[in-house]
Amino acid sequence: MRIVIAPDKFAGTLTAVEAAQAIADGWHTVDPDADTRLLPLSDGGPGFVEVLHAALGGTVADLEVTGPLGAPVPARYLLAGTTAYIESAHACGLHLVPAEARDPARTTTLGVGELIAAAVAAGADTVVVGLGGSATNDGGAGMLAALGAHPAPGLGAGGGPLAALEGPVDLAAARAAVRGVRLVAATDVDNPLLGINGASAVFGPQKGADPDAVQRLDAALTAFADATDPGGLREAPGAGAAGGLGYGLLLLGGTVESGVARVLDAVGLADDVATADLVITGEGSFDGQSLRGKLPHGVARAAADQGVPCVVTAGVVSVGRKEAAAAGITETYALVESAGSTEAALRRPAEELTRLAAAVARRWGGARPRTPGGA
């Protein structure tokens, strides 16, 4: 039996690589002879560079950049040919900010701009920036400052100080720094920059913003948009990704592309699925957002195109059977349920995922018939 194992990270507990290995280990305890193909994935958030390096090869460059709180942090980018891949979370990720210090009014994307500058200096003519997992809400202002936008001090101090901007922001030097370079914002978030569906309202609370702070942050981003964009970029789908970092990239002439589609294409998922008997995907929380273009949905769609059954293993499952089936998912399995409690699942995530995967193997062992309509 051939099983393709293609999970995302289990946020806060397991990387995609660790999750894939745990699932494979569990399956092999039941079926040691199974042919398991491990394809750890990322949608542009944490794990983006690691996953693409495994799929594409290339050279990983390590460097130190400005972190979200202003202190230096280690970061890296991948150069594959003349295309550079950057994981914005390396420079401004939520994991870099202790829970008690989370405040998107003062976290910055300066380090993302430094990564872009380094990649361009290394010869990249295309720079793909994976968006996700950020601690920031500065509209990409810090990134722009690192590339030469003025007034730099007012742009690089986080989302809060943007409220005090007076007059237009000069983007000429930042645009010159990436002239001739194709910039891509890799994300599957379609939120605009502002308003009830914008960066502050939707993502601010998970970064430490209370309701009053959300309103202040949205007002600050409005001031920033007024100072940078007389047109409609603030309304563009994806402008609100990573605390508005998508908007900053759009200001530089960048485009928004699906992070999921780019990764699935890079790893050759469709080819592997074509010869599989079963596909297993997963993530930390499989919920309504998962069915709006996130990785498990993309994997399930690829499996459905080939008529191959697809199951989801997740820390928590809050999607009903009918919703899952409509998305091409045959069954779902929750780690919290199999472990007996959230505490147990969090205490031993790899071990519990291995145990859950063994249960999946007992349920699905042996070749399964392809679903009607498959290739």
Side-chain angles (χ1 to χ4, degrees):
M1 186 173 184
R2 189 165 194 271
I3 305 96
V4 170
I5 300 172
D8 196 353
K9 65 187 177 301
F10 282 52
T13 57
L14 297 170
T15 67
V17 171
E18 291 168 340
Q21 189 61 59
I23 293 169
D25 289 346
W27 190 283
H28 285 138
T29 63
V30 175
D31 182 4
D33 297 324
D35 177 10
T36 51
R37 170 72 163 132
L38 277 60
L39 291 174
L41 300 174
S42 168
D43 60 2
F48 187 61
V49 165
E50 180 183 26
V51 165
L52 288 173
H53 185 215
L56 301 174
T59 302
V60 172
D62 293 292
L63 65 160
E64 199 171 70
V65 300
T66 303
L69 294 176
V73 296
R76 53 179 36 192
Y77 65 87
L78 169 66
L79 189 62
T82 58
T83 298
Y85 297 91
I86 288 171
E87 187 176 314
S88 62
H90 278 155
C92 65
L94 193 62
H95 68 285
L96 298 172
V97 183
E100 66 276 8
R102 290 176 182 173
D103 179 3
R106 64 189 189 96
T107 46
T108 179
T109 55
L110 273 166
V112 179
E114 293 165 0
L115 281 169
I116 292 172
V120 172
D125 59 20
T126 299
V127 177
V128 181
V129 184
L131 305 184
S134 78
T136 51
N137 201 89
D138 71 351
M143 174 203 69
L144 294 168
L147 292 171
H150 294 286
L155 299 177
L162 298 176
L165 283 174
E166 295 181 2
V169 171
D170 184 356
L171 298 175
R175 287 171 172 156
V178 294
R179 186 172 293 125
V181 176
R182 180 171 178 253
L183 290 176
V184 177
T187 180
D188 288 270
V189 166
D190 58 5
N191 301 74
L193 181 66
L194 306 172
I196 60 172
N197 294 314
S200 305
V202 175
F203 305 111
Q206 68 195 41
K207 303 174 185 185
D210 61 25
D212 288 340
V214 164
Q215 291 189 20
R216 292 193 298 271
L217 288 166
D218 194 59
L221 284 183
T222 299
F224 179 57
D226 290 343
T228 52
D229 173 36
L233 289 179
R234 67 187 73 184
E235 301 295 335
L245 185 53
Y247 173 74
L249 290 166
L250 289 171
L251 287 174
L252 295 177
T255 58
V256 175
E257 296 184 8
S258 166
V260 169
R262 183 170 280 272
V263 170
L264 297 190
D265 181 63
V267 303
L269 179 73
D271 291 339
D272 279 301
V273 168
T275 58
D277 298 297
L278 177 69
V279 175
I280 303 175
T281 186
E283 62 179 343
S285 177
F286 184 63
D287 53 26
Q289 287 293 318
S290 303
L291 302 181
R292 295 187 59 191
K294 290 182 70 177
L295 257 174
H297 184 231
V299 173
R301 195 166 50 204
D305 287 345
Q306 303 280 0
V308 178
C310 177
V311 302
V312 169
T313 57
V316 177
V317 174
S318 55
V319 172
R321 285 188 177 184
K322 288 184 178 180
E323 293 173 288
I329 295 161
T330 313
E331 285 185 347
T332 59
Y333 300 85
L335 200 58
V336 167
E337 293 180 11
S338 65
S341 69
T342 300
E343 292 73 19
L346 291 174
R347 190 165 55 248
R348 303 180 301 272
E351 294 86 343
E352 293 296 344
L353 184 55
T354 295
R355 195 158 67 90
L356 177 59
V360 175
R362 286 189 288 271
R363 165 73 176 86
W364 286 89
R368 305 295 299 182
R370 288 175 175 255
T371 56

